[in-house]
Amino acid sequence: MAKYPTYGREEFPYGDEEAFKQVFFEAYENGREMVGCGKVADYIPELRKADYRSFGICLLKKDGSFLSHGDVETRFSMQSICKTVMLAVALRSFGFAKTFSHVKMEPSGDSFNSIIKLDTASNLPYNPMINAGAIQIASLLSTRFSFEELLGITKSFCMDDGITLNRAVYESEWETGDRNRAIAYLLKSKGVLQADPQQTLDLYIRMCSLNVTAKSLAGLGLILANDGQNPFTGEQLVHPRHIRTVNSIMFTCGMYDGSGEFGVKVGIPAKSGVGGGITCGVKGRMGIGIYGPSLDEKGNSIAGITALEHLSHLMHLSVFDYHPIPENGEKGRE
Ligand code: GLU
């Protein structure tokens, strides 16, 4: 799909900011050309209102420099991307063992809102990135946190004080969220839900309805890339070992049932949401935030995936890339 294969894998001129920008804009253009090939989510009626042509990417580095283009200031609901924040907060507050006594850590291979395996194969949801797992985590969090407290935490994770509840999305999802209600009551019937189903769903839906931008998702990505520390304030938001867990789960489960292909082709821990957002943390280097509400058949931003493939391929961003990327301009190790 790369339309402008200007550089081969071995030739990328690291440290050359102009080359870096060129690859960034190529990636953006390649993504933008794909917007007509996907579809805006419509199962939550309010999400239908998004303009399928919208597309923005923001790339934020540890030194504070950033590149952004397109609709990076547009507010949209973070949807499933809140699952990364909720998992990080659960790990930080309850620890690894307790958190994973409430949810498993395996890819489900089913769609994000599936109920099948929960009923037949396991009493615990497969992972915290599918709805059943996130609802379970929300029930745990609701025993200790108010929504306002989690909103404040999300603002600091995204380095964005402007995050608010999108009330129209919240109400729309509350009215049409029968599958999520079914999941919560099934979890209750199995005796594993930690709080009242209505209270749990209210928190879960509020978190999904938080209004972010591509820039805020780049901020979140940078915290994930930087071992849980805000590089600008020095604040350690989450212990590095917990961020390692969050990134691992994002890598294996973050892109719906397209996570395997995304892992192979892009190779960056990432989480997408049906509102069209994607957050990615490129270990030790940068956060990437994307807004592109036209979704592929798996539910991932079609322009976003296309652009990330281009960026990852040409800049060697995969965690498995064989060329370490020096930041100081010298040539990478062969
Ligand atoms: N709030 C959405 C739901 O529960 C989140 C879906 C998503 O972004 O994957 O259906």
Side-chain angles (χ1 to χ4, degrees), residues 16-323:
D16 178 340
E17 284 304 310
E18 283 313 307
F20 189 75
K21 275 188 201 158
Q22 186 183 336
V23 168
F24 175 79
F25 286 111
E26 289 167 5
Y28 181 87
E29 279 309 313
N30 284 353
R32 202 178 52 82
E33 285 179 9
M34 295 298 289
V35 295
C37 302
K39 241 176 108 249
V40 168
D42 56 6
Y43 76 102
I44 299 172
E46 193 62 24
L47 297 184
R48 273 185 215 144
K49 295 186 180 162
D51 182 348
Y52 77 94
R53 293 164 301 189
S54 305
F55 183 42
I57 312 183
C58 180
L59 205 144
L60 176 62
K61 290 202 202 171
K62 264 173 78 170
D63 64 5
S65 62
F66 68 93
L67 276 174
S68 67
H69 196 55
D71 302 300
V72 294
E73 308 271 3
T74 307
R75 293 257 164 212
F76 60 97
S77 55
M78 79 193 300
Q79 297 297 334
S80 268
I81 299 167
C82 74
K83 294 167 181 170
T84 58
V85 175
M86 294 201 302
L87 175 61
V89 178
L91 287 164
R92 177 174 96 167
S93 314
F94 298 97
F96 183 91
K98 183 164 169 59
T99 299
F100 287 102
S101 69
H102 295 287
V103 63
K104 303 202 291 183
M105 51 181 101
E106 296 300 334
S108 71
D110 294 326
S111 70
F112 68 98
N113 58 5
S114 175
I115 210 160
I116 296 172
K117 286 208 176 87
L118 186 58
D119 195 24
T120 55
S122 164
N123 278 339
L124 289 182
Y126 265 61
N127 68 71
M129 299 291 131
I130 54 173
N131 286 10
I135 288 170
Q136 183 74 334
I137 294 286
S139 80
L140 183 62
L141 292 178
S142 76
T143 63
R144 193 171 292 184
F145 295 97
S146 66
F147 165 68
E148 279 67 31
E149 286 167 328
L150 289 174
L151 169 59
I153 293 172
T154 308
K155 286 180 182 176
S156 59
F157 278 31
C158 294
M159 306 181 200
D160 177 2
D161 275 337
I163 297 176
T164 53
L165 177 74
N166 183 329
R167 191 153 280 281
V169 170
Y170 165 76
E171 281 166 9
S172 184
E173 182 161 355
W174 189 250
E175 272 163 34
T176 54
D178 291 330
R179 276 193 92 81
N180 288 333
R181 268 189 278 281
I183 289 171
Y185 280 96
L186 184 57
L187 288 166
K188 182 179 178 224
S189 78
K190 288 168 176 284
V192 296
L193 202 71
Q194 298 302 299
D196 167 70
Q198 296 290 100
Q199 174 191 334
T200 299
L201 286 166
D202 189 64
L203 183 64
Y204 169 73
I205 295 173
R206 279 175 193 269
M207 291 301 290
C208 288
S209 305
L210 291 181
N211 252 349
V212 293
T213 63
K215 278 191 178 171
S216 11
L217 295 182
L220 174 59
L222 186 56
I223 300 286
L224 294 165
N226 197 43
D227 296 329
Q229 188 186 53
N230 179 326
F232 312 125
T233 63
E235 189 184 359
Q236 189 71 47
L237 295 163
V238 185
H239 194 282
R241 75 170 177 278
H242 294 320
I243 288 296
R244 178 180 180 274
T245 302
V246 175
N247 278 322
S248 306
I249 303 259
M250 285 168 69
F251 195 89
T252 51
C253 312
M255 302 299 279
Y256 303 113
D257 38 339
S259 300
E261 187 173 339
F262 186 85
V264 172
K265 291 188 175 167
V266 180
I268 307 171
K271 180 75 198 92
S272 65
V274 291
I278 304 179
T279 186
C280 311
V282 184
K283 176 76 180 161
R285 299 190 65 208
M286 65 178 98
I288 304 175
I290 288 185
Y291 174 52
S294 178
L295 308 180
D296 65 15
E297 72 285 356
K298 301 278 166 74
N300 296 310
S301 168
I302 196 162
I305 297 260
T306 306
L308 286 169
E309 268 185 48
H310 188 87
L311 281 177
S312 177
H313 183 68
L314 289 179
M315 292 182 182
H316 303 193
L317 301 185
S318 166
V319 290
F320 301 113
D321 255 319
Y322 50 86
H323 252 309

